[in-house]
């Protein structure tokens, strides 16, 4: 009960001074008291969503209230707090169709993307190649090829390392669809002595690197191919190559006749600088 | 220190726009190229609305549309990774409701968080007893820090991750310094402390850094020690009560929190359980690798910052030392350099102190040399920590070595 006198002094009730309640100080409380039930009403169909909004809005509003009290005039504060409520409360009443969220899922790749796309072999003479520096011991390595999506068709992937065929790549049928990696073990003997024994293989299995190698570098030549054309068996590729040691020569594409430095961008049909998601690693590369 | 103290004096007018500009330039410079994640760990790269992101963003791309009204919840469970990011997820959900753009709803929250983190850095540094010039330098270094960049420019899109450490530290220190004191009653300050800590727990849960540092500050400062200790203790109880109530409400709503091994609570319990075993603590101490910290900050800003901490006030020294130990401890548990960052507000506050001290020495030689020295040193520290912009990814590789495979 506010009892301000005309002289602006405060009345006393029960020995305590009673301050008048001005609209500037009452209005933020009123906005909060109106907003919270409005949020609860808007989210009543889902208890977790209601809780998320009530706690979220409550904290954001209180923090904004305090910060604005320190920095702006009461009228400006009121305006800002009303704006906070006007932006936040309608979100509690929103009902988006499930298709909205589905259309905005994270993707392993997108054929149309210039950043991260995928490639399917168009005939069995095509090859993709990777030149990857190795560090440390050579034991325990595997070839990992990242696939864009699960594949259960008849096409099979094969790999060669340093001109030596390491066999068919395989992946479990129940692989996490978010990170499917086709794998084949690489015998240590294939990787040992890389400095002194550059690949001497038929052209389709040897990458024509032009970059001069440092003595300390040990570069593994990885070549992957499919036994038949398959547009569904897709290997991921990307544009960025800033982390590679060899720059554009880290990745190669063999057309069936000759090697090109770079990766094939299927949507445009061009070979461009990039990186195949083909790695020599000792375990899953994406977990 | 209380309300109206010099520490609350307004920042220079140019500072906040400059911090916004630095944030925008940092973002534009990285977005103009491919993000770090694609260079560093290609297998973790994914697409979201045509933009490259890090796979870990999957933590949020289900729950943000759910908060914005898309049902059913596609995330499968609500885990600690969601709970500890409650407020950023809520903010991103609101932005998503208005924009329908999932990538930018999360990225916008990240960008605003970086700017707010730098703004609060100025205020926090003032509270830590750093001069206005030193605090401005600390804020500039924070806005351009690889600590922030390593979350955002990796395209990890973890809304407000990292930046909230400054907000939480500032808010809690403000309460401790009497922002909400009213006469002899402590209930207002206690409630404010409880809310500040609860809010911090919903902003990446930096409570585990903030609370120990507050206790240390109370211990080394004689002013109102009993009252402040009481406020802190009751505030921690209030935080615990709010946390239990919120988690209980989630359970009642049918979505109990999905446990995660990396929860701080679980880690503390494991440490206490392991304390009795011979060698357990020794192993943790041995695992503290100072090189991890240098890998994240870049050795030069880190060394300057630690030297500045030593020159600073008692609260800066004690909070800096304790947070550094906690950061090293976290690094030993996780064994990844990027985890060793929980002392960064104090490192940058210390850097501000050190640069102002050097500038003061230079001013004694020539009057205008002080300003030039401060500007040059700040620019140097910003430059060495942002070399990735010109294609040198060595610092990034050091900080994110756990993701890096030779490619």
């Amino acid at each position: 009960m506010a009892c301000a006198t005309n002289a602006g002094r405060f009345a006393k009730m029960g020995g305590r001074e009673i301050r008048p309640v001005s609209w500037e100080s009452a209005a933020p409380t009123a906005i909060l008291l109106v907003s919270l039930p409005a949020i609860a009403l808007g989210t009543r169909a889902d208890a977790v969503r209601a809780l998320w909004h009530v706690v979220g809005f409550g904290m954001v509003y209180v923090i904004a209230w305090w910060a604005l009290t320190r920095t702006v005039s009461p009228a400006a504060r009121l305006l800002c707090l009303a704006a906070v409520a006007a932006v936040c409360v309608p979100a509690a009443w929103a009902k988006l169709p499930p298709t909205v969220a589905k259309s905005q899922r994270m993707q392993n790749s997108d054929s149309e993307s210039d950043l991260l796309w995928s490639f399917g072999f168009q005939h069995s003479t095509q090859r993709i190649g990777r030149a990857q520096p190795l560090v440390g011991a050579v034991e325990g390595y595997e070839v990992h090829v990242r696939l864009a999506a699960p594949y259960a068709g008849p096409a099979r992937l094969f790999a060669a390392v340093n001109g030596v065929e390491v066999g068919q790549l395989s992946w479990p049928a129940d692989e996490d669809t978010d990170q499917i990696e086709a794998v084949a073990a690489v015998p240590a003997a294939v990787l040992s002595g890389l400095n002194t024994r550059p690949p001497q293989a038929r052209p389709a299995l040897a990458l024509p690197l032009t970059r001069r190698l440092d003595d300390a570098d040990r570069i593994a030549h990885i070549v992957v191919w499919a036994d038949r054309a398959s547009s569904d068996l897709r290997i991921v590729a990307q544009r960025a190559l800033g982390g590679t040691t060899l720059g554009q020569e880290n990745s190669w594409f063999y057309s069936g006749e000759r090697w090109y430095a770079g990766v094939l961008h299927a949507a445009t049909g061009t070979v461009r600088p990039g990186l195949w998601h083909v790695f020599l690693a000792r375990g899953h590369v994406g977990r | 220190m209380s309300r109206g103290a010099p520490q609350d004096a307004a920042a220079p007018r140019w500072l906040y726009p400059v911090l916004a500009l630095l944030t925008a330039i940092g973002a534009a410079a990285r977005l103009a190229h491919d993000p770090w994640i694609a260079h560093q760990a290609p297998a973790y790269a994914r697409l979201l609305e045509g933009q490259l992101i890090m796979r870990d963003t999957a933590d949020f791309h289900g729950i943000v549309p759910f908060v914005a009204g898309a049902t059913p919840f596609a995330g499968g469970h609500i885990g600690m990774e969601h709970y500890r990011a409650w407020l950023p997820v809520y903010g991103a959900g609101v932005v998503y409701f208005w924009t329908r753009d999932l990538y930018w709803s999360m990225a916008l929250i990240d960008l605003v968080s970086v700017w707010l983190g730098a703004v609060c850095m100025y205020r926090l540094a003032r509270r830590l007893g750093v001069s206005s010039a030193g605090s401005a330098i600390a804020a500039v270094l924070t806005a351009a820090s690889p600590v922030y960049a390593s979350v955002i420019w990796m395209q990890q899109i973890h809304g407000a991750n990292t930046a909230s450490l400054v907000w939480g530290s500032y808010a809690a220190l403000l309460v401790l310094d009497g922002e909400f004191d009213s006469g002899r009653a402590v209930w207002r300050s206690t409630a404010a402390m409880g809310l500040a800590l609860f809010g911090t727990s919903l902003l990446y849960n930096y409570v585990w850094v903030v609370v120990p540092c507050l206790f240390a500050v109370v211990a080394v400062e004689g002013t109102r020690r009993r009252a402040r200790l009481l406020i802190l203790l009751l505030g921690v109880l209030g935080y615990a009560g709010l946390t239990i109530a919120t988690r209980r409400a989630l359970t009642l709503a049918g979505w109990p929190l999905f446990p995660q091994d990396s929860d701080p609570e679980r880690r503390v319990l494991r440490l206490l359980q392991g304390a009795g075993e011979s060698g357990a603590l020794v192993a943790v101490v041995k695992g503290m690798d100072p090189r991890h910290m240098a890998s994240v900050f870049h050795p030069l800003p880190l060394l300057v910052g630690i030297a500045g901490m030593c020159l600073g006030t008692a609260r800066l020294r004690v909070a800096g030392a304790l947070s550094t130990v906690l950061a090293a401890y976290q690094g030993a548990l996780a064994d990844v350099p990027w985890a060793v960052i929980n002392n960064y507000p104090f490192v940058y506050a210390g850097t501000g102190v050190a640069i102002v001290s050097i500038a003061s020495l230079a001013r004694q030689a020539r009057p205008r040399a002080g300003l030039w020295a401060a500007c040059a040193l700040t620019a140097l520290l910003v430059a060495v920590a942002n070399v990735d912009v010109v294609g040198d990814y060595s610092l990034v590789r050091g900080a994110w070595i756990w993701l890096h495979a030779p490619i």
Side-chain angles (χ1 to χ4, degrees):
Chain A
M1 192 184 305
C3 306
T5 65
N6 288 338
R9 289 177 303 182
F10 306 126
K12 289 194 173 185
M13 287 185 65
R16 291 183 62 191
E17 193 175 69
I18 305 299
R19 289 179 176 273
V21 178
S22 65
W23 66 270
E24 287 112 333
S25 61
T29 311
I31 293 173
L32 184 63
L33 292 180
V34 170
S35 298
L36 287 177
I39 286 171
L41 202 61
T43 52
R44 65 188 180 281
D46 192 312
V48 174
R49 200 162 157 259
L51 186 64
W52 211 280
H53 273 264
V54 167
V55 172
F57 176 76
M59 290 301 295
V60 168
Y61 190 88
V62 167
I63 292 167
W65 189 350
W66 165 77
L68 292 165
T69 300
R70 301 179 104 242
T71 50
V72 299
S73 69
R77 179 187 67 185
L78 184 59
L79 206 61
C80 292
L81 290 177
V84 169
V87 167
C88 292
V89 174
W93 286 80
K95 283 185 176 47
L96 304 183
T99 49
V100 170
K102 277 181 185 167
S103 69
Q104 294 178 336
R105 276 196 181 139
M106 233 164 49
Q107 296 171 284
N108 287 334
S109 67
D110 179 355
S111 297
E112 299 298 317
S113 171
D114 277 339
L115 299 170
L116 190 67
W117 63 92
S118 61
F119 160 80
F121 289 100
Q122 292 141 345
H123 52 86
S124 60
T125 57
Q126 287 180 332
R127 305 276 188 274
I128 62 174
R130 279 271 287 122
Q132 177 181 323
L134 289 184
V135 178
V138 294
E139 288 79 16
Y141 272 109
E142 300 161 324
V143 176
H144 287 252
V145 177
R146 191 174 157 220
L147 303 183
Y151 176 77
R156 296 175 299 166
L157 285 178
F158 295 87
V161 178
N162 296 333
V164 179
E165 295 192 19
V166 296
Q168 183 182 338
L169 283 77
S170 62
W171 56 97
D174 58 350
E175 182 87 309
D176 179 0
T177 56
D178 183 46
Q179 183 70 26
I180 306 164
E181 293 176 15
V183 180
V186 179
V190 173
L191 299 172
S192 57
L194 287 177
N195 281 342
T196 54
R197 189 169 56 81
Q200 298 292 327
R202 57 185 192 272
L205 295 184
L207 307 177
L209 291 180
T210 58
R211 182 180 156 144
R212 281 186 60 193
L213 301 181
D214 188 308
D215 283 346
D217 286 338
R218 295 190 303 165
I219 309 293
H221 294 231
I222 312 159
V223 175
V224 175
W225 67 94
D227 63 348
R228 68 188 75 188
S230 175
S231 57
D232 294 333
L233 177 56
R234 303 194 71 82
I235 295 167
V236 179
Q238 68 171 46
R239 181 178 72 182
L241 45 77
T244 59
T245 309
L246 292 168
Q248 185 170 346
E249 290 200 351
N250 87 84
S251 286
W252 294 80
F253 174 69
Y254 186 73
S255 64
E257 295 172 355
R258 57 164 290 204
W259 283 102
Y260 296 89
V263 294
L264 186 70
H265 186 251
T268 57
T270 55
V271 177
R272 52 175 67 175
L275 172 77
W276 295 115
H277 281 204
V278 173
F279 310 96
L280 274 190
R282 290 198 173 89
H284 253 274
V285 289
R287 284 187 191 155
Chain B
M1 277 174 268
S2 63
R3 204 171 185 171
Q7 286 72 16
D8 289 321
R13 284 185 173 216
W14 55 267
L15 183 62
Y16 296 166
V18 163
L19 296 178
L21 193 65
L22 270 176
T23 306
I25 290 173
R30 267 86 178 200
L31 290 174
H33 302 95
D34 297 314
W36 290 1
I37 183 64
H39 297 301
Q40 181 74 1
Y44 283 77
R46 299 288 184 275
L47 284 171
L48 184 65
E49 307 224 18
Q51 302 274 3
L52 272 180
I53 54 160
M54 186 181 180
R55 188 188 182 203
D56 286 18
T57 307
D59 288 352
F60 303 114
H61 89 294
I63 197 166
V64 169
F66 168 71
V67 169
T71 52
F73 173 41
H77 71 270
I78 291 181
M80 273 304 290
E81 68 272 28
H82 303 126
Y83 177 86
R84 69 185 177 186
W86 190 301
L87 298 184
V89 163
Y90 173 71
V94 170
V95 178
Y96 179 70
F97 163 73
W98 289 103
T99 63
R100 296 286 197 277
D101 189 313
L102 195 50
Y103 174 85
W104 279 107
S105 63
M106 291 193 274
L108 191 69
I109 293 292
D110 264 348
L111 283 171
V112 172
S113 299
V114 165
W115 178 70
L116 278 177
V119 166
C120 284
M121 187 66 233
Y122 175 84
R123 302 264 176 175
L124 175 65
R126 296 292 284 140
R127 286 268 149 197
L128 292 168
V130 182
S131 67
S132 179
S135 300
I137 290 168
V140 165
L141 288 169
T142 304
S145 168
V147 173
Y148 282 180
S150 58
V151 172
I152 291 188
W153 318 133
M154 283 289 287
Q155 298 289 65
Q156 205 178 351
I157 316 285
H158 272 191
N161 188 4
T162 312
S164 51
L165 174 56
V166 184
W167 311 347
S169 304
Y170 171 59
L173 200 55
L174 206 62
V175 177
L176 199 67
D177 283 345
E179 169 78 3
F180 294 94
D181 277 4
S182 58
R184 296 176 65 186
V186 296
W187 72 267
R188 282 187 66 194
S189 294
T190 300
M193 181 62 82
L195 273 178
L197 296 179
F198 180 61
T200 304
S201 77
L202 303 181
L203 287 161
Y204 276 87
N205 209 2
Y206 287 111
V207 171
W208 297 90
V209 180
V210 173
V211 169
C213 288
L214 291 181
F215 274 113
V217 166
V218 171
V220 296
E221 291 180 349
T223 321
R224 298 171 57 239
R225 186 179 289 166
R226 276 190 184 177
R228 297 207 295 174
L229 193 58
L230 186 65
I231 289 167
L232 188 50
L233 285 171
L234 293 176
V236 170
L237 283 179
Y239 147 69
L242 285 169
T243 301
I244 291 167
T246 308
R247 294 187 185 189
R248 182 75 186 139
L250 276 174
T251 304
L252 290 174
W255 289 92
L257 270 186
F258 195 77
Q260 209 179 43
D261 274 350
S262 58
D263 297 349
E265 292 88 344
R266 286 170 176 265
R267 284 185 173 176
V268 170
L269 275 176
R270 275 205 301 273
L271 181 70
L272 292 176
Q273 286 165 353
E277 299 167 15
S278 64
L281 277 175
V282 175
V284 170
V285 172
K286 278 187 176 173
M288 294 181 179
D289 188 342
R291 288 172 303 179
H292 282 352
M293 209 171 280
S295 299
V296 177
F297 287 97
H298 188 282
L300 189 58
L302 180 64
L303 284 174
V304 174
I306 289 175
M309 271 198 257
C310 299
L311 295 171
T313 58
R315 59 169 48 185
L316 175 56
R317 284 199 302 272
V318 70
L322 187 55
S323 63
T324 301
V325 171
L326 288 171
Y329 167 67
Q330 188 178 353
L333 285 181
D335 196 27
V336 285
W338 64 266
V340 196
I341 58 169
N342 288 346
N343 57 343
Y344 81 86
F346 310 104
V347 168
Y348 288 127
T351 310
V353 172
I355 290 179
V356 167
S357 302
I358 294 168
S360 300
L361 290 175
R363 194 165 52 225
Q364 287 173 7
R366 288 179 64 182
R368 296 195 66 178
L371 179 64
W372 285 109
C375 290
L377 281 171
T378 306
L380 174 69
L381 296 189
V382 167
V384 296
N386 287 277
V387 286
D388 64 288
V389 170
V390 290
D392 181 348
Y393 294 92
S394 51
L395 188 65
V396 185
R397 284 186 196 166
W400 291 87
I401 197 163
W402 69 290
L403 284 174
H404 181 60
I407 53 174

